[in-house]
């Protein structure tokens, strides 16, 4: 409460007409400042209000929450879990009790030990059911709290009980284990002491009865920073921020094997098994929660939640213990997931609890369809300490040494062509290079291109112009010609559908083949600069390779111990001539 509604604010002391509140948003606590003008109609507050005429904190809090999300309208609709998380920073999970996991009692016990918030409810089948009271005094469509569990000795056997609270403070369960039921007479008085408090809204029931009577359980597992009591056990929490971008990191789900591998990948290493004496299985429990960011803000543009989910893969033996290995297409074609989100769904967050043997695992979050853009937060809560990292390739370039050739190595027909094109000065200018390349391109009708631009040709000249003349001599032109022929072969190899263009996904593999290993960030920049939509034509492919090679060679020439130092003049020369 004090985190969300900070202390020391009132209408009396230091009152300035403003108030501030804090909400958890996508991995951090955000401070929101508002003025105290509230929307009213006919002198009455329009939205949240108190029965007390002079109590306004809840209405002010709602205004701050509306500001955070863009408008009051943006607050319409949603789920309990969104509220759970925005007001606590926790990770929420939901269980349908008719299909409850066999270890749900243990899950609830551990959640309570960790200070989690637990709520349960009974589904309604129609509007007439809303807050209808059953014959054993349970209220349909009503939010109850789960406040405790306990195993007691009952008639020579162990009985699992669960304690539930009705926030109304009255209307309690009247079945078995209710406050005045006969079952308590068979319990040892010392064990019963303090368990039963008459008519306080809190009651016990058998866990098996709980599963029959209630429909749904929601648990909000709190992050370590929300728990102040040193007696409580705490989750280990890890948060990753990432994004899906069309053409570079938005690969869609596993139904799209050609692109699934380009999604962001995160590794988690589980080393210590759970402390659970009732379970012989050697396993590590973790909660995985994938949340898409800021989708409510885009409602005004007609956008809504994407359909999202995730898959978990065991790291293959050859990659265990390694860092910065972004697994490729072939891996996902030959390996199946060992865990995944229960479904892909268009909620703000998808979360589920997983149990896996100790080991290294890759989590791949994705949208259901490829090319859907969004920012996201991936959170992993583990019972024991776990190591984690985002996987991405190191930037490397396997560049061949510049080939040493003399005029004697140049084919005579090539020399004759060069003489005709270069003219009397025997050097090719940027303009002449453009004319030559576009003339050659016109003969390759299988290649889609709108021709080389002056900027592209200028980059080629700068890559190989050793004497700074801004022109290419015979040997320099021969080297350039050899590179283009080599890159043309790579382009054709990776234009898998023979469309004459290369998809942005195919391009990443083609760059690998050309000797350039890049990370997601660089690939994203390349796609935004050289792709038209998600297609890269031949001239842009060549231009990209030329620029990559030129910039890497410049870095290698100027670097010292993996770092590059240059003054302003050097930097301007490099950027203006590139």
């Amino acid at each position: 409460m004090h985190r969300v509604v900070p202390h020391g604010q009132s209408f009396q002391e230091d009152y300035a007409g403003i108030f501030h509140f804090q909400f958890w948003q996508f991995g951090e606590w955000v401070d929101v400042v508002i003025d105290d003008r509230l929307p009213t109609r006919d002198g009455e507050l329009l939205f949240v209000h108190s029965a007390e005429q002079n109590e306004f904190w809840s209405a002010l809090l709602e205004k701050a929450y509306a500001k955070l999300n863009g408008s009051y309208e943006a607050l319409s609709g949603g789920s309990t879990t969104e509220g759970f998380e925005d007001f606590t920073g926790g990770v929420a999970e939901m269980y349908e009790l008719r299909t409850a996991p066999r270890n749900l009692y243990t899950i609830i016990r551990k959640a309570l030990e960790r200070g989690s918030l637990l709520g349960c409810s009974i589904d309604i089948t129609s509007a007439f059911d809303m807050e209808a009271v059953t014959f054993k005094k349970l209220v349909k469509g009503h939010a109850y709290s789960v406040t405790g569990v306990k195993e007691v000795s009952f008639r020579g056997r162990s009985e699992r009980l669960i304690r539930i609270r009705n926030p109304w403070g009255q209307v309690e369960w009247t079945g078995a284990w209710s406050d005045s039921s006969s079952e308590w007479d068979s319990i040892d008085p010392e064990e019963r002491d303090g368990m039963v408090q008459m008519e306080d809204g809190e009651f016990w029931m058998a866990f098996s009865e709980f599963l029959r009577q209630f429909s749904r359980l929601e648990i909000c597992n709190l992050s370590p920073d929300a728990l102040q009591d040193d007696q409580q056990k705490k989750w280990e929490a890890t948060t990753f921020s990432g994004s899906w971008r069309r053409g570079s990191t938005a690969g869609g789900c596993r139904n799209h094997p050609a692109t699934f591998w380009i999604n962001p990948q995160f590794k988690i290493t589980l080393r210590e098994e759970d402390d659970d004496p009732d379970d012989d299985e050697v396993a590590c429990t973790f909660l995985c929660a994938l949340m898409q960011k800021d989708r409510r803000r885009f409602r005004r543009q007609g956008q809504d939640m994407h359909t999202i989910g995730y898959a978990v893969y065991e790291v293959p033996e050859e990659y265990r213990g390694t860092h910065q290995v972004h697994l490729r297409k072939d891996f996902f074609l030959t390996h199946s997931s060992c865990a995944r989100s229960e479904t892909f769904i268009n909620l703000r967050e998808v979360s589920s609890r997983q149990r896996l043997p100790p080991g290294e695992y890759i989590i791949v979050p994705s949208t259901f369809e490829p090319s859907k853009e969004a920012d996201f937060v991936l959170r992993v809560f583990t019972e024991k300490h776990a190591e984690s990292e985002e996987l991405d390739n190191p930037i490397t370039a396997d560049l061949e040494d510049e080939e040493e050739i003399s005029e004697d190595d140049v084919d005579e027909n090539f020399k004759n062509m060069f003489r005709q094109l270069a003219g009397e000065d025997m050097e090719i200018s940027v303009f002449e290079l453009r004319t030559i390349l576009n003339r050659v391109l016109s003969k390759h009708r299988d290649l889609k291109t709108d021709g080389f631009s002056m900027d592209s040709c200028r980059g080629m000249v700068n890559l190989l112009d050793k004497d700074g003349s801004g022109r290419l001599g015979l040997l320099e032109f021969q080297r350039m010609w050899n590179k283009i022929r080599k890159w043309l072969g790579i382009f054709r190899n990776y234009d898998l559908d023979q469309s004459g263009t290369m998809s942005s996904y195919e391009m990443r593999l083609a760059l690998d083949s050309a000797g350039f290993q890049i990370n997601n960030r660089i690939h994203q920049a390349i796609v935004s600069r050289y792709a038209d939509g998600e297609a890269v034509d031949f001239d842009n492919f060549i231009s990209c390779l030329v620029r990559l090679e030129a910039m890497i060679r410049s870095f290698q020439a100027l670097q010292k111990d993996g770092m590059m130092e240059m003054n302003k003049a050097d930097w301007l020369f490099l950027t203006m001539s590139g």
Side-chain angles (χ1 to χ4, degrees):
M1 182 69 173
H2 296 157
R3 162 78 87 168
V4 177
V5 186
H7 265 173
Q9 302 187 91
S10 76
F11 287 100
Q12 285 81 38
E13 291 184 38
D14 299 323
Y15 173 62
I18 64 169
F19 294 93
H20 75 106
F21 301 89
Q22 291 190 331
F23 305 96
W24 185 90
Q25 289 285 283
F26 317 118
E28 61 183 359
W29 286 93
V30 177
D31 200 78
V32 178
V33 179
I34 58 165
D35 62 37
D36 61 0
R37 187 179 188 185
L38 296 170
T40 62
R41 179 184 294 145
D42 300 327
E44 300 287 335
L45 288 171
L46 270 176
F47 305 118
V48 168
H49 57 276
S50 170
E52 302 292 331
Q53 294 298 307
N54 63 345
E55 187 176 30
F56 294 100
W57 70 267
S58 57
L60 292 165
L61 174 66
E62 182 188 37
K63 178 174 179 175
Y65 198 40
K67 178 179 178 180
L68 181 72
N69 285 283
S71 66
Y72 277 93
E73 183 184 17
L75 302 186
S76 175
S79 66
T80 305
T81 55
E82 283 192 58
F84 258 160
E85 293 178 346
D86 288 353
F87 291 88
T88 68
V91 167
E93 51 182 332
M94 184 175 68
Y95 295 94
E96 297 292 341
L97 296 181
R98 66 178 179 275
T99 56
R102 61 179 178 81
N103 63 331
L104 183 63
Y105 188 85
T106 301
I107 290 172
I108 294 172
R109 176 176 56 78
K110 287 188 173 184
L112 290 166
E113 287 174 356
R114 285 171 168 77
S116 302
L117 307 177
L118 289 83
C120 58
S121 59
I122 302 171
D123 282 347
I124 60 173
T125 54
S126 70
F128 297 107
D129 269 353
M130 191 64 187
E131 300 202 335
V133 180
T134 69
F135 80 101
K136 288 190 177 179
K137 296 294 181 73
L138 292 178
V139 186
K140 293 185 176 181
H142 183 61
Y144 286 86
S145 301
V146 175
T147 59
V149 290
K150 189 167 184 178
E151 290 192 45
V152 296
S153 178
F154 175 65
R155 295 175 182 171
R157 60 181 174 84
S158 179
E159 180 78 57
R160 288 179 166 182
L161 302 180
I162 185 167
R163 188 174 64 203
I164 298 168
R165 181 177 183 273
N166 183 347
W168 287 350
Q170 53 191 355
V171 186
E172 291 187 12
W173 162 251
T174 58
W177 298 102
S178 60
D179 288 356
S180 56
S181 71
S182 61
E183 283 80 8
W184 293 108
D185 297 335
S186 302
I187 301 296
D188 185 282
E190 288 188 10
E191 196 169 19
R192 187 178 63 211
D193 186 41
M195 289 184 69
V196 181
Q197 304 290 332
M198 301 299 286
E199 286 302 320
D200 60 347
E202 201 164 49
F203 55 88
W204 292 90
M205 64 194 308
F207 187 68
S208 56
E209 188 73 37
F210 167 75
L211 295 178
R212 285 193 293 271
Q213 296 290 340
F214 284 86
S215 309
R216 183 173 295 104
L217 172 72
E218 291 173 293
I219 303 176
C220 182
N221 302 283
L222 301 183
S223 56
D225 68 329
L227 298 171
Q228 304 300 323
D229 186 355
D230 290 337
Q231 300 300 313
Q232 289 173 323
K233 297 181 179 179
K234 298 179 181 180
W235 291 96
E236 290 273 342
T238 302
T239 301
F240 299 103
S241 293
S243 61
W244 296 297
R245 290 293 177 265
R246 177 178 178 145
S248 58
T249 56
C253 71
R254 293 168 301 163
N255 296 346
H256 306 275
T259 57
F260 177 69
W261 67 276
I262 65 146
N263 285 299
Q265 299 174 16
F266 304 90
K267 185 169 86 168
I268 179 169
T269 303
L270 305 172
R271 300 199 186 279
E272 300 179 63
E273 63 183 275
D274 297 345
D275 293 328
D276 196 344
D278 299 329
D279 195 337
D280 295 332
E281 184 182 4
V282 177
C284 306
T285 296
F286 65 97
L287 293 171
C288 192
L290 174 64
M291 178 185 291
Q292 51 189 316
K293 296 174 69 172
D294 299 321
R295 300 310 300 173
R296 284 180 179 267
R297 288 181 173 272
F298 298 126
R299 281 184 178 177
R300 290 181 175 178
Q301 287 82 43
Q303 300 181 40
D304 210 336
M305 301 289 183
H306 291 315
T307 302
I308 61 172
Y310 64 84
V312 182
Y313 294 82
E314 187 173 8
V315 174
E317 191 170 347
E318 61 268 28
Y319 291 122
R320 286 175 196 163
T322 60
H323 304 280
Q324 293 186 306
V325 177
H326 189 95
L327 296 177
R328 296 307 178 95
K329 177 180 174 181
D330 290 345
F331 170 81
F332 295 105
L333 289 175
T334 55
H335 292 75
S336 58
S337 62
C338 57
R340 55 190 170 85
S341 53
E342 291 183 11
T343 182
F344 274 74
I345 193 167
N346 59 337
L347 291 176
R348 183 178 77 163
E349 183 174 65
V350 173
S351 67
S352 59
R353 181 180 295 248
Q354 311 291 349
R355 295 185 83 233
L356 293 172
E360 295 182 19
Y361 298 92
I362 303 293
I363 303 173
V364 185
S366 72
T367 56
F368 187 73
E369 296 289 341
S371 303
K372 300 293 185 182
E373 294 196 329
D375 296 322
F376 66 82
V377 171
L378 177 70
R379 291 184 291 164
V380 181
F381 278 33
T382 53
E383 285 198 6
K384 298 292 188 70
H385 176 69
E387 298 164 14
S388 56
E389 62 178 308
E390 181 175 0
L391 295 181
D392 209 346
N393 290 323
I395 300 172
T396 61
D398 182 17
L399 299 180
E400 299 174 354
D401 292 334
E402 291 286 9
E403 54 186 330
E404 293 293 331
I405 57 175
S406 65
E407 289 198 19
D408 295 336
D409 299 320
V410 180
D411 180 78
E412 199 59 41
N413 290 330
F414 189 88
K415 287 181 183 177
N416 290 334
M417 179 189 73
F418 181 81
R419 291 190 189 100
Q420 292 174 12
L421 296 168
E424 293 181 4
D425 61 359
M426 288 299 288
E427 287 197 318
I428 291 179
S429 67
V430 172
F431 181 80
E432 289 166 336
L433 177 62
R434 184 187 183 205
T435 302
I436 296 165
L437 293 178
N438 287 336
R439 189 181 300 169
V440 171
L441 271 185
S442 66
K443 296 177 182 178
H444 293 270
R445 299 188 180 278
D446 62 318
L447 301 177
K448 295 281 179 64
T449 176
D450 54 4
F452 285 95
S453 67
M454 289 294 288
D455 277 347
S456 299
C457 294
R458 189 172 291 110
M460 295 182 203
V461 170
N462 289 334
L463 175 61
L464 290 170
D465 175 25
K466 302 303 180 186
D467 58 9
S469 66
R471 294 168 173 266
L472 297 181
L474 173 63
L475 299 183
E476 292 168 334
F477 183 63
Q478 176 72 69
R479 291 192 187 95
M480 172 55 66
W481 193 254
N482 292 345
K483 287 180 186 295
I484 291 175
R485 284 166 54 196
K486 172 189 168 185
W487 292 338
L488 172 60
I490 292 173
F491 185 89
R492 284 192 165 132
N493 284 342
Y494 286 92
D495 176 17
L496 301 179
D497 58 0
Q498 297 183 330
S499 63
T501 64
M502 184 178 294
S503 77
S504 54
Y505 310 111
E506 294 166 343
M507 185 171 180
R508 188 159 184 174
L509 297 173
L511 292 177
D512 270 2
S513 179
F516 301 98
Q517 189 176 82
I518 58 174
N519 61 20
N520 286 339
R521 183 182 175 204
I522 302 300
H523 186 232
Q524 199 168 304
I526 285 173
V527 169
S528 64
R529 176 164 184 164
Y530 294 102
D532 181 8
E534 292 183 31
V536 181
D537 59 17
F538 180 67
D539 58 286
N540 275 316
F541 176 69
I542 297 297
S543 299
C544 174
L545 286 170
V546 165
R547 189 168 184 83
L548 263 178
E549 182 170 334
M551 299 310 291
I552 288 172
R553 288 194 185 278
S554 295
F555 179 83
Q556 289 175 341
L558 295 168
Q559 74 161 334
K560 184 178 181 181
D561 297 328
M563 302 292 289
M564 181 171 67
E565 292 185 12
M566 57 173 60
N567 58 34
K568 189 185 296 183
D570 292 336
W571 170 251
L572 286 173
F573 177 79
L574 181 64
T575 54
M576 297 306 291
S577 62

